[in-house]
Amino acid sequence: MTLTLPEYPQPDARGRFGRFGGRYVPETLIPALDELETAYRAAKADPEFLEELDRLLKEFVGRPSGLYLASRLTEHAGGAKIYLKREDQNYTGAHKINNCLAQALLAKRMGKRRVIAETGAGQHGVASATAAALLGMDCVVYMGVEDIRRQELNVFRMKLLGAEVRPVTSGTSTLKDATNEAIRDWVTNVRDTFYILGSVVGPHPYPAMVRDFQSVIGEEVKVQLQAQEGRVSPDVIVACVGGGSNAIGIFAPYAYLPEEQRPRLIGTEAAGEGVETGRHAASVAGGRTGVLHGAMMYLLHDHEGQITPPHSISAGLDYPGIGPEHCLYSDTGVAEYVPVTDAQAMEGLQLLTRLEGIIPALESAHAIYHAVQLAPTLSPDQIIVVNLSGRGDKDVAEVMRLLQKAEDAAPPSERQEVRA
Amino acid sequence: MTATQSRGVARIHAAFEAAQAQGRAAFIPFMTAGFPSAAAFPALADTLLERADILEVGLPYSDPLGDGPTIQRASEQALEGGTSTRRTLEAVRELRTRHDTPIVVMTYVNPIYAVGPREFMRLAQEAGVDGLILPDLPPDQDLEIADLAAEHGLAVTFLIAPTSTPARVKLVAEACTGFLYAVSVTGVTGAREATALNEVPAMLALAREHARVPVAVGFGVKDAGTAHQVAAVADGVVVGSAFINAINHGQDVAALVATIADGCQK
């Protein structure tokens, strides 16, 4: 057994990251959250649980994922070396599986037979359905009808895996509303149901627990970078943030290091059509403190507290809030959060695909774009690690549609052959 | 405690006492402000207030995760119709010109934080609100809200559920200044096909050990029968989704109000 789950200084005993986080949920759930916290603490200290999780991460997920020097991308950008942490190599295609397997194992340990999940892009839904199939549990996934349209293939995958996909038509019919429905289901069936939450959001202990389960990403980077470059810390780490689970997974192992040892941590937020247009999902750049889904965080809402619909090209980033630990990092300067637009993400996607033969998820493409912008400002002996949180298979139909639309809109003289 | 601090608390407690003196549980109907439209809400509230001991007005919120589909849709409809925090409080102020019945506002914490807790309490006090019900605020999350409410003469109601441990029941009960709201089922609001109230008596017995305030029961009360079952063990009966369903189905709301109010007889 080599796996340990780290102990970080945050959150505090009340489940708060500074002023963020907490447990703003119906009283019905408080005992369940207490029970979860207790069970999680016990599991974290139980060698048998850690051994089983370690075995599954290696044998089922395929960890460790590669740390790959993107030399053609580096050459193109001209400057710092760009490494990719290849979470896209994970079984099911994204970092989400790390957390889902761990939570499903915990659910089983707690004697729960039924798991529920919410999903936006479908990666968390597929990972939850996969974990449930593996461990022999019933699984219900809530998904907004708008996302069901955008992610048809993942919907089919979930069904094939034996999960029930429940379409959500309330509100904006996207991830935020799927999360509301999952919480309502949990409030109703709390005695026999485990809620596998997909990001570092929600009431305590979820943000801390999901972070711990995802921190395997950053812990691996330390070891791999040491072997490949003779140093533990890169100069910069870039990761996309919606709720923020892949970012926290690669940030957290570095975030609590002394400042002089800490790399620059950069989260790329979905700026959609531009933060100034109001059509975006950039909670730090365009939001204010508020409470949603049980936690205080930076949030997109109007002056009376009504949640405003987020927008992103990427269903996985299309969420109006950002995890409470990221909010604390932002306030304290531990990490920076920069907006990247839909168009820039498309550019990042095409660039990585052409230069490295890797089709990234639209989420990860936000981080790729920013890394390429940043690299020329750094020297060749410096290192940027980009968390490639997932692969783009799920997005190719949407990308094809968007590129076709762009091509049709361009004057004939500027038309390029965009299809391979 | 000054006179201002005790205003809402005193009025709410008096309403329970008056009902009890008549051998009834207090009848506490709920309605979403601005539903079915901003124009139609006042008359609807008047209908409820004909029999209400306390009126619960819902301040519509975009993401009401403690509510079922009926109240959620009513909130969406109200928001689309332009109902806002300030308009909700204006509606309460307007009802105050015709009615002396205590009015409590049910809302989620985000609208309170967005306006600012102190400013929100000031606006609520000015509008004549007597108390607040906060379904996503366990009392140990934010002690400032209850303190600010008290400063502005507002009573606060927190919720317990069948899943609440004895320690939680004690904590919640002691934090309530208006009345204690016991949720009858594990679940969200909504009239149910079959409402199982078998968990209610034990929960209430536990609550009464600690509560210094009356105890009301809600969630799933939909007709005279379920109201009577609840009235037998509780000090108050909260009914919401059933009235909204009646409006959505074009039924006679006044008749339903009368039947359920009659059902609150002990």
Side-chain angles (χ1 to χ4, degrees):
Chain A
M1 201 270 296
T2 55
L3 185 74
T4 52
L5 292 171
E7 288 292 344
Y8 296 111
Q10 296 283 343
D12 65 17
R14 292 178 62 219
R16 298 222 173 222
F17 299 84
R19 65 196 169 103
F20 303 103
R23 280 183 177 173
Y24 296 89
V25 290
E27 185 65 32
T28 308
L29 292 182
I30 298 291
L33 291 167
D34 282 336
E35 182 195 2
L36 175 61
E37 194 178 358
T38 305
Y40 174 55
R41 280 186 192 291
K44 213 173 160 175
D46 180 359
E48 209 173 301
F49 175 83
L50 295 172
E51 203 169 317
E52 178 69 353
L53 180 57
D54 190 50
R55 185 182 71 80
L56 288 175
L57 288 177
K58 283 179 179 145
E59 296 170 11
F60 190 78
V61 176
R63 301 207 71 87
S65 66
L67 181 69
Y68 166 74
L69 174 61
S71 47
R72 297 231 310 139
L73 190 70
T74 298
E75 195 184 327
H76 169 87
K81 280 188 201 172
I82 302 175
Y83 276 88
L84 306 176
K85 179 57 177 164
R86 298 289 306 273
E87 290 301 294
D88 62 313
Q89 290 174 340
N90 292 342
Y91 179 57
T92 75
H95 71 290
K96 296 286 187 186
I97 190 73
N98 306 327
N99 170 50
C100 286
L101 269 181
Q103 284 198 42
L105 267 188
L106 184 60
K108 198 165 184 188
R109 199 183 140 93
M110 292 170 73
K112 311 279 182 182
R113 293 267 319 153
R114 177 177 185 263
V115 297
I116 55 170
E118 82 296 329
T119 199
Q123 292 304 85
H124 176 61
V126 168
S128 297
T130 301
L134 176 72
L135 299 174
M137 303 166 114
D138 296 331
C139 180
V140 172
V141 180
Y142 290 89
M143 190 169 184
V145 290
E146 174 60 18
D147 291 333
I148 286 176
R149 182 194 66 75
R150 291 196 279 191
Q151 301 293 345
E152 202 184 343
L153 197 56
N154 271 341
V155 173
F156 179 69
R157 278 199 189 104
M158 287 180 251
K159 289 178 178 168
L160 199 57
L161 286 159
E164 181 195 341
V165 179
R166 290 199 187 154
V168 175
T169 53
S170 57
T172 54
S173 302
T174 60
L175 179 57
K176 135 184 120 65
D177 307 287
T179 308
N180 287 335
E181 289 306 327
I183 293 174
R184 289 187 180 112
D185 182 317
W186 200 36
V187 171
T188 306
N189 301 297
V190 61
R191 284 168 170 144
D192 64 3
T193 295
F194 188 103
Y195 179 17
I196 302 185
L197 215 156
S199 195
V200 284
V201 299
H204 175 69
Y206 280 104
M209 183 172 71
V210 176
R211 168 200 64 195
D212 295 353
F213 289 146
Q214 291 293 5
S215 66
V216 64
I217 304 171
E219 293 295 342
E220 282 178 6
V221 172
K222 285 183 178 172
V223 176
Q224 290 167 322
L225 204 63
Q226 179 65 46
Q228 289 166 239
E229 290 279 353
R231 51 193 282 201
V232 168
S233 291
D235 297 282
V236 183
I237 296 176
V238 186
C240 64
V241 286
S245 70
N246 88 85
I248 221 81
I250 196 165
F251 287 177
Y254 293 101
Y256 296 100
L257 293 174
E259 200 177 339
E260 60 280 8
Q261 294 170 29
R262 197 169 62 218
R264 265 180 83 186
L265 305 175
I266 302 175
T268 53
E269 293 196 290
E273 293 170 12
V275 175
E276 71 290 349
T277 66
R279 301 251 311 145
H280 63 84
S283 310
V284 175
R288 293 175 297 115
T289 305
V291 171
L292 183 68
H293 299 144
M296 187 169 282
M297 56 190 173
Y298 285 122
L299 186 64
L300 305 180
H301 55 148
D302 67 18
H303 64 286
E304 291 209 326
Q306 307 295 343
I307 308 303
T308 45
H311 164 79
S312 169
I313 192 174
S314 152
L317 301 183
D318 207 351
Y319 185 74
I322 173 171
E325 191 165 5
H326 285 294
C327 300
L328 179 66
Y329 289 177
S330 175
D331 276 11
T332 53
V334 165
E336 308 150 53
Y337 296 85
V338 299
V340 173
T341 65
D342 287 350
Q344 292 169 335
M346 281 292 282
E347 201 181 317
L349 181 138
Q350 288 170 281
L351 201 56
L352 189 67
T353 305
R354 294 280 175 87
L355 292 175
E356 298 286 351
I358 298 170
I359 305 177
L362 275 169
E363 289 85 344
S364 317
H366 289 72
I368 295 289
Y369 176 85
H370 187 69
V372 170
Q373 298 302 303
L374 190 66
T377 69
L378 305 173
S379 65
D381 62 345
Q382 290 185 295
I383 295 168
I384 300 174
V385 173
V386 179
N387 198 16
L388 196 68
S389 59
R391 62 177 186 236
D393 304 29
K394 68 180 172 60
D395 294 322
V396 288
E398 186 74 358
V399 169
M400 186 167 75
R401 192 180 68 81
L402 292 165
L403 289 178
Q404 185 63 57
K405 204 168 127 189
E407 188 187 2
D408 292 348
S413 61
E414 290 175 21
R415 276 188 196 169
Q416 294 174 12
E417 185 53 54
V418 292
R419 282 152 298 173
Chain B
M1 210 184 253
T2 68
T4 311
Q5 282 173 322
S6 62
R7 187 188 57 97
V9 173
R11 284 167 50 78
I12 287 166
H13 291 186
F16 276 97
E17 279 159 24
Q20 194 185 18
Q22 295 170 19
R24 300 185 288 114
F27 171 52
I28 311 173
F30 165 91
M31 189 49 62
T32 302
F35 179 83
S37 66
F41 172 77
L44 179 57
D46 287 342
T47 303
L48 297 171
L49 280 160
E50 269 174 39
R51 296 295 300 272
D53 294 293
I54 297 168
L55 179 67
E56 181 184 346
V57 172
L59 194 164
Y61 175 53
S62 56
D63 293 72
L65 54 78
D67 284 300
T70 303
I71 292 177
Q72 184 182 19
R73 274 199 296 272
S75 297
E76 283 174 10
Q77 197 172 323
L79 289 169
E80 281 161 17
T83 295
S84 60
T85 300
R86 283 177 174 81
R87 286 188 184 167
T88 297
L89 295 175
E90 275 164 29
V92 171
R93 185 200 303 272
E94 199 256 342
L95 290 174
R96 270 278 160 266
T97 63
R98 299 193 295 280
H99 303 276
D100 199 35
T101 307
I103 297 177
V104 295
V105 165
M106 187 284 287
T107 187
Y108 291 81
V109 292
N110 204 48
I112 296 181
Y113 284 133
V115 174
R118 185 173 292 277
E119 176 68 358
F120 182 90
M121 300 302 166
R122 190 185 67 77
L123 292 171
Q125 180 187 28
E126 275 180 17
V129 173
D130 294 294
L132 298 174
I133 300 177
L134 305 163
D136 65 343
L137 189 72
D140 45 344
Q141 269 305 302
D142 185 340
L143 305 167
E144 192 199 4
I145 293 265
D147 287 347
L148 283 171
E151 247 180 65
H152 291 82
L154 302 172
V156 180
T157 284
F158 296 107
L159 289 74
I160 57 167
T163 52
S164 298
T165 58
R168 291 296 306 178
V169 170
K170 182 171 190 292
L171 186 144
V172 175
E174 288 177 354
C176 292
T177 56
F179 59 92
L180 175 65
Y181 192 143
V183 173
S184 68
V185 291
T186 59
V188 292
T189 58
R192 288 160 172 78
E193 279 299 308
T195 302
L197 298 170
N198 48 345
E199 292 185 291
V200 171
M203 182 172 44
L204 291 196
L206 192 56
R208 287 189 197 283
E209 281 179 33
H210 304 289
R212 295 160 295 176
V213 295
V215 183
V217 170
F219 285 37
V221 180
K222 59 170 192 261
D223 52 24
T226 43
H228 187 61
Q229 267 180 282
V230 168
V233 290
D235 304 314
V237 182
V238 186
V239 188
S241 297
F243 297 129
I244 294 175
N245 281 331
I247 293 156
N248 287 336
H249 295 123
Q251 290 159 359
D252 183 349
V253 180
L256 185 64
V257 168
T259 323
I260 295 182
D262 288 344
C264 292
Q265 203 70 34
K266 284 207 178 267

